[in-house]
């Protein structure tokens, strides 16, 4: 019973607390600017699902989407990853270029091999979708907070993790400019169009 209550609390926190429900507003797209200022993604150098180094330098002058997941997730991560896979296919079908990065919030257990197996369950195309690990738990908690203004924490009573469920859009300058609901009513077309518009601005 205690485990069941814990899972319910995690779900509530994820969907309402950390997913930015925005005061009951049903909008699924949010600007993340503070006036004219955007949050910039901090420097990082991690390891992807193939065991290769992957850093912000690989994303220089590129548009990309980011989210936070873990392979052992029992709640929101599978649907989030399925939604991201659909976005990846839509991008390809519409000839829109973007990179996708999924940061593991469980780096201790999420080896490159485990992340690759997780991505393969959803037919992820690893040519432009990287699942990252290779850091300490505290590192990803700090990185998520400082770069994306989203919380990540281990649940002390289970093997699950509390983390935000947004999809983040990052522009060519490495700035987080929008966040979208990654669990329910995902605005697929809006995301594709926003990425297309960003790519046009750099031409």
């Amino acid at each position: 019973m205690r485990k069941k209550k814990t899972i319910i609390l995690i779900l509530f926190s994820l969907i309402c607390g950390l997913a930015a429900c925005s005061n009951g507003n049903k909008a699924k797209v949010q600007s993340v600017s503070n006036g004219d200022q955007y949050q910039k993604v901090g420097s990082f150098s991690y390891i992807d699902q193939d065991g290769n180094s992957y850093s912000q330098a690989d994303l220089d002058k590129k548009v990309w989407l980011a989210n936070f997941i873990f392979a052992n997730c029992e709640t929101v991560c599978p649907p989030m990853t399925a939604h991201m896979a659909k976005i990846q296919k839509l991008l390809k079908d519409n000839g829109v270029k973007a990179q996708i990065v999924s940061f593991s919030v469980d780096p201790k257990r999420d080896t490159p091999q485990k992340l690759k197996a997780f991505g393969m369950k959803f037919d992820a195309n690893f040519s432009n979708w990287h699942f990252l690990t290779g850091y300490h738990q505290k590192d990803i908690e700090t990185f998520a907070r400082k770069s994306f203004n989203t919380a990540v924490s281990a649940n002390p009573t289970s093997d699950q993790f509390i983390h935000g469920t947004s999809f983040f859009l990052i522009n060519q300058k490495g700035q987080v400019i929008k966040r979208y609901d990654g669990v329910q009513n995902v605005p697929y077309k809006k995301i594709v169009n926003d990425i297309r518009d960003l790519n046009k601005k750099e031409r």
Side-chain angles (χ1 to χ4, degrees):
M1 179 63 69
R2 183 178 179 182
K3 184 176 180 181
K4 184 176 181 181
K5 288 182 178 179
T6 298
I7 292 175
I8 291 173
L9 287 172
I10 292 172
L11 275 170
F12 181 80
S13 295
L14 285 172
I15 295 174
C16 293
L18 299 178
C21 286
S22 186
N23 300 321
N25 194 331
K26 295 183 179 179
K28 300 301 177 182
V29 182
Q30 296 182 344
S31 172
V32 294
S33 64
N34 179 15
D36 293 327
Q37 301 297 316
Y38 287 104
Q39 190 82 5
K40 189 162 185 177
V41 178
S43 175
F44 68 88
S45 182
Y46 300 145
I47 299 172
D48 70 10
Q49 72 285 338
D50 292 317
N52 298 321
S53 176
Y54 195 81
S55 71
Q56 85 283 357
D58 294 295
L59 296 163
D60 187 41
K61 298 181 180 179
K62 296 179 181 178
V63 177
W64 53 293
L65 287 170
N67 71 336
F68 294 84
I69 55 90
F70 64 108
N72 193 47
C73 180
E74 298 174 352
T75 54
V76 295
C77 300
M80 284 176 66
T81 308
H83 295 322
M84 190 69 89
K86 182 173 180 179
I87 293 170
Q88 185 182 44
K89 186 177 186 302
L90 286 172
L91 290 169
K92 181 179 179 181
D93 291 346
N94 287 274
V96 179
K97 293 183 178 181
Q99 297 292 309
I100 301 173
V101 179
S102 292
F103 296 94
S104 170
V105 299
D106 184 13
K108 185 175 181 179
R109 288 182 297 181
D110 279 349
T111 62
Q113 295 82 2
K114 191 168 184 179
L115 286 175
K116 188 162 189 176
F118 179 73
M120 289 175 67
K121 289 181 182 179
F122 302 93
D123 297 322
N125 183 337
F126 300 116
S127 65
N128 68 324
W129 188 351
H130 297 264
F131 291 76
L132 302 187
T133 186
Y135 35 80
H136 295 294
Q137 182 64 37
K138 289 297 181 182
D139 293 335
I140 192 62
E141 292 176 6
T142 300
F143 176 75
R145 184 181 70 254
K146 290 186 175 180
S147 293
F148 295 92
N149 195 28
T150 190
V152 169
S153 63
N155 188 311
T157 62
S158 76
D159 62 355
Q160 297 296 288
F161 290 78
I162 299 172
H163 61 92
T165 57
S166 295
F167 291 164
F168 299 90
L169 177 61
I170 300 92
N171 66 15
Q172 294 92 332
K173 297 179 181 179
Q175 298 169 318
V176 183
I177 62 170
K178 288 185 181 179
R179 61 192 297 165
Y180 312 89
D181 193 313
V183 178
Q184 296 180 321
N185 302 317
V186 180
Y188 302 107
K189 292 183 179 179
K190 173 65 175 171
I191 293 172
V192 172
N193 288 335
D194 285 347
I195 293 173
R196 180 189 285 114
D197 290 342
L198 278 178
N199 284 330
K200 287 180 179 178
K201 289 181 180 180
E202 291 300 308
R203 289 179 181 177

